[in-house]
Amino acid sequence: EEYEEYMFRLLARLIQDAQYPGKSIGSYEKLNKNGKAMMKFGLSSYYMRDDLEDLEEGSEWATFRDNTEEPEYIYSLYTGAKARPLKKRWMDINGAGCSVRNGDI
C-alpha cells in the first residue's frame, strides 16, 4: 500500500505539472479524497484479479470484471454511482436494447 500511495502521489504531481483538466487527485505531498479513492480502486482491482482463482470451476474465461466480491468499493468520481456486478459475462453483452440503468445487464 505504501508503494501504491507513492505512485499515485507521483501521478498527482504529473497531473499538476501538465495542468490536466480532469479531477484533481491531490499533490505529491498529499493525496486528496479523489486520490485516495483512486488508490483504493487500484488496490481493489489488484485483489479482485487475485480472487479470480477462487471462482467456481469452469470459469477459466473470467476476467477481473467478472469478480462480484468488491464492486461496492468502486464508484464514479464524477457521479458517485457505485459499480455493480453484471448479470452475465461482460464479453457476452451485445448492448442492443440493454440498459445498465434498467438492470438489463
Side-chain angles (χ1 to χ4, degrees):
E1 199 167 315
E2 229 176 90
Y3 176 75
E4 189 84 11
E5 182 178 352
Y6 170 71
M7 295 304 291
F8 274 92
R9 288 184 315 153
L10 283 176
L11 178 61
R13 182 170 62 192
L14 289 171
I15 288 171
Q16 284 182 324
D17 290 350
Q19 298 177 357
Y20 188 75
K23 285 224 179 221
S24 167
I25 65 170
S27 66
Y28 179 78
E29 290 75 25
K30 184 176 181 180
L31 295 175
N32 64 18
K33 179 181 171 187
N34 292 331
K36 290 177 183 175
M38 285 184 65
M39 188 177 91
K40 190 170 186 178
F41 298 163
L43 289 170
S44 291
S45 175
Y46 171 79
Y47 291 122
M48 289 167 78
R49 290 170 195 263
D50 189 51
D51 289 346
L52 289 175
E53 295 173 6
D54 299 334
L55 291 178
E56 62 189 47
E57 193 171 323
S59 59
E60 305 82 35
W61 49 263
T63 72
F64 73 99
R65 293 173 182 87
D66 298 300
N67 187 322
T68 60
E69 295 297 314
E70 302 184 67
E72 69 273 7
Y73 292 108
I74 299 176
Y75 60 90
S76 167
L77 294 178
Y78 290 92
T79 66
K82 292 186 177 185
R84 64 180 192 176
L86 300 175
K87 292 184 178 179
K88 55 185 173 179
R89 294 187 330 159
W90 74 275
M91 293 289 291
D92 293 336
I93 298 171
N94 83 9
C98 294
S99 166
V100 173
R101 285 191 178 174
N102 294 335
D104 297 335
I105 53 176

